[in-house]
Amino acid sequence: MTGVADGKSIAELGAALRGGSLTSVALTEETLDRIDRQDGQIDSFIVVTKERALADAAKADKERADGMDKGPMHGIPYGLKDIYDTAGITTTCHSKLRLENVPEEDSVCAVKLREAGGVLIGKMATHEFAFGGPSFDLPFPPARNPWNRNHGPGGSSSGSGAAVAAGFLRMAMGSDTGGSIRGPAAYCGIVGMKPTYGRVSRRGVFPLSYTMDHCGPLSKNVEDAAITLQCIAGYDPLDPASANQPVPDYQADLGKGVAGLKVGILSSFYKGAEGLSDETVAAIDNAAATFRNLGAEVEEVAAVSPYADYNNCGRVILLAEAYAIHEQDLQTRPLDYGRLTMERIVLGGYLTAADLMQAQRQRRELCEEINTGLFSRYDILLAPSSLSPAPLIDAPQQSFPVSWPMQTLPFNVTGNPAMSIPVGFSQSGLPLSMQIVGKYFDEATVFRAGQAYEQATDWHEQWPAMDAMADASAA
Amino acid sequence: MTMTQDEKADRLMFQKLTQTLGLTLPADREQAIFEGYAGLRAMADGLRRPRTAASEPAGMFDPTTIGRGVGQ
């Protein structure tokens, strides 16, 4: 990394802004310049809101000069997945169906980040409607992985993951229904935080599955994620799922370490799974050893139910709810969807009411199993985010793959907070990852554990060679 | 390729449901969707098993009760 930002965290950039050695306008101009030079390699943005960004930045600088400090996001550039409504700015869901959609109001997260003084740089690529991708039959190209552009960045918050990993932004917002924050974070080697269901308002964010959608940040490190969640968490009476729970200080426990923390490695979810790479197993084993060295009590643990129960339950609920949302458009204009999106969402129509209710009954049991069962014995659980590194972006995809490399869906089913962090690299140079799962509304312990691991390793300090990639392309 | 009686019955059920849903599937996508339907059907059928009253899903969507019994 070179330039004004130079790999600095949100907190470090904030300190530079407060100390007067950096202005938000300079930071924003450099960000825009970097995107202009390099995003053609990874297509992480659908639209760059240059005028808005420079206006936001100038406003932040003036406010600061006038003695106003809105907190750690004041003057910091960020991006929004293009399913977050933004007043006066198109919100396309990466789909032909919504190319002309210009919302009149901001989503709640956009409001909160604006009120915190953040600088909106643009809207990020996504899998269509947060579900179908990577696809090449949509109005915009799919985002690519900055570590190797021939590989996918994961989805569906694909542009958010790619832009943060590339160093364009410290943070971009994503959404997670089956792993769409943690997946791109895993494949791109960054941090992805899915908070507890109900912790962050989803109002103004296009839904995929009402009872499994979560909003959260993808960021370069754990502290960036904690700062962002502080801005966006909180009760919203107009979001039916929003939880009226107190929001703690997420930075308060950072740096307290993990000595004495009870950690369960959820080995029954992944050991022996089809497609599990040896490199992933080794990375998780090494991470467990790191936690032990830091003083945590670590042991392997088995869930009562097999992984397949979580997977099957989650997929039935997700598809039933997604179909209900898209039913009319699937009946009247199915060919306006990308092929993969259409072939996936339409399946929900074939489920019966009894199928959905049986899945909900299973869901209740799985929630109990994780929370009354495992979380009565452990403070956090660890598992891979994905069984293997990022696949090729043009690898053939089935409409309904029976198995899936992502290990993220169980915690959309149960609603627990779960954060993906980088834990190494494959021999081919692609990131490996692990998720840290916490008790309901205990994101603070997840952050604390993640940061302790992060400080003991240097995976989060690695950057892809974006300059070399752009130079090679230019040559 | 010949189909077994079961496969024929599955295909007929799929076509009947497609019609009931008011969907018009493009010919070049029908096979992929049918295969997905069969996979999802097997998945959903696997969720049918004996359960107790504790699996009652009421209150599922209230985040303060989603983990009933956890002491929240």
Side-chain angles (χ1 to χ4, degrees), chain A residues 9-32:
Chain A
S9 68
I10 290 175
E12 289 167 341
L13 290 170
L17 289 167
R18 273 189 295 280
S21 63
L22 177 64
T23 66
S24 182
V25 167
L27 176 61
T28 300
E29 285 175 341
E30 181 187 294
T31 301
L32 292 168

Side-chain angles (χ1 to χ4, degrees), chain A residues 195-257:
Chain A
T196 310
Y197 183 74
R199 177 58 100 187
V200 175
S201 174
R202 307 155 309 151
R203 185 154 55 97
V205 179
F206 197 90
L208 173 58
S209 172
Y210 300 116
T211 68
M212 302 218 295
D213 287 344
H214 302 65
C215 296
L218 294 93
S219 60
K220 185 59 182 169
N221 72 11
V222 172
E223 183 189 44
D224 294 342
I227 286 171
T228 306
L229 188 60
Q230 200 75 57
C231 291
I232 61 174
Y235 180 51
D236 173 12
L238 297 181
D239 174 354
S242 186
N244 193 356
Q245 296 281 324
V247 178
D249 179 350
Y250 290 122
Q251 289 179 268
D253 288 345
L254 297 182
K256 289 189 176 174

Side-chain angles (χ1 to χ4, degrees), chain B residues 10-66:
Chain B
D10 285 348
R11 179 73 74 167
L12 280 173
M13 176 61 82
F14 171 71
Q15 288 168 344
K16 192 183 260 186
L17 286 170
T18 303
Q19 196 172 16
T20 303
L21 290 167
L23 297 170
T24 307
L25 303 183
D28 64 339
R29 300 185 187 180
E30 187 169 328
Q31 179 60 26
I33 295 169
F34 173 70
E35 288 169 10
Y37 158 79
L40 182 61
R41 191 65 263 146
M43 215 172 245
D45 289 344
L47 295 171
R48 286 177 165 72
R49 60 182 78 165
R51 300 188 193 280
T52 69
S55 64
E56 154 76 55
M60 178 67 72
F61 310 122
D62 179 348
T64 59
T65 64
I66 195 169

Side-chain angles (χ1 to χ4, degrees), chain A residues 17 43 77 111 198 208 210 245 255 261 272 279 327 339 350 359 447 474:
Chain A
L17 289 167
D43 295 319
V111 169
L208 173 58
Y210 300 116
Q245 296 281 324
L261 215 62
E279 291 172 314
E327 182 178 37
R339 180 179 185 130
Y350 296 90
F447 285 138

Side-chain angles (χ1 to χ4, degrees), chain A residues 45-355:
Chain A
F45 281 85
I46 284 183
V47 63
V48 176
T49 52
K50 182 176 179 180
E51 288 180 13
R52 157 80 183 264
L54 290 169
D56 283 355
K59 182 167 178 270
D61 285 339
K62 181 170 188 316
E63 288 169 342
R64 212 180 283 285
D66 291 344
M68 186 187 298
D69 188 342
K70 290 182 169 177
M73 279 301 291
H74 198 180
I76 303 293
Y78 72 96
L80 290 171
K81 183 176 182 175
D82 202 28
I83 63 169
Y84 282 73
D85 279 355
T86 39
I89 302 168
T90 54
T91 301
T92 70
C93 299
H94 210 126
S95 177
K96 183 180 177 184
L97 281 90
R98 293 178 76 84
L99 282 179
E100 310 300 327
N101 175 48
V102 181
E104 292 182 0
E105 292 184 15
D106 279 333
S107 51
V108 170
C109 285
V111 169
K112 290 192 171 191
L113 287 164
R114 175 164 46 79
E115 289 177 347
V119 174
L120 178 65
I121 296 291
K123 305 295 290 291
M124 318 307 300
T126 166
H127 290 179
E128 187 180 25
F129 288 112
F131 202 43
S135 295
F136 292 86
D137 60 351
L138 301 176
F140 311 101
R144 290 173 177 269
N145 195 314
W147 294 97
N148 183 336
R149 66 185 303 280
N150 294 323
H151 290 252
S156 64
S157 308
S158 47
S160 301
V164 171
F168 300 160
L169 302 168
R170 288 300 297 197
M171 184 281 289
M173 291 296 299
S175 65
D176 192 318
T177 306
S180 288
I181 289 172
R182 289 161 290 157
Y187 284 171
C188 292
I190 59 172
V191 172
M193 174 48 134
K194 181 198 82 69
T196 310
Y197 183 74
R199 177 58 100 187
V200 175
S201 174
R202 307 155 309 151
R203 185 154 55 97
V205 179
F206 197 90
L208 173 58
S209 172
Y210 300 116
T211 68
M212 302 218 295
D213 287 344
H214 302 65
C215 296
L218 294 93
S219 60
K220 185 59 182 169
N221 72 11
V222 172
E223 183 189 44
D224 294 342
I227 286 171
T228 306
L229 188 60
Q230 200 75 57
C231 291
I232 61 174
Y235 180 51
D236 173 12
L238 297 181
D239 174 354
S242 186
N244 193 356
Q245 296 281 324
V247 178
D249 179 350
Y250 290 122
Q251 289 179 268
D253 288 345
L254 297 182
K256 289 189 176 174
V258 292
L261 215 62
K262 293 185 171 56
V263 178
I265 312 278
L266 206 37
S267 57
S268 67
F269 270 20
Y270 66 96
K271 289 209 168 162
E274 184 184 342
L276 176 66
S277 78
D278 292 341
E279 291 172 314
T280 298
V281 175
I284 299 295
D285 288 347
N286 288 337
T290 301
F291 274 100
R292 279 192 196 95
N293 291 338
L294 293 171
E297 298 172 27
V298 183
E299 62 184 21
E300 291 200 9
V301 60
V304 174
S305 299
Y307 182 84
D309 280 3
Y310 290 84
N311 181 58
N312 299 356
C313 170
R315 288 172 77 176
V316 166
I317 294 169
L318 192 162
L319 286 170
E321 294 185 351
Y323 183 81
I325 291 161
H326 289 272
E327 182 178 37
Q328 191 175 1
D329 284 332
L330 286 168
Q331 288 170 334
T332 58
R333 48 192 300 201
L335 295 178
D336 285 347
Y337 289 88
R339 180 179 185 130
L340 206 53
T341 317
M342 184 267 180
E343 289 182 359
R344 285 179 177 170
I345 297 180
V346 77
L347 294 176
Y350 296 90
L351 291 164
T352 67
D355 292 332

Side-chain angles (χ1 to χ4, degrees), chain A residues 2 6 42 143 252 256 302 334 384:
Chain A
T2 55
D6 200 24
I42 58 169
K256 289 189 176 174

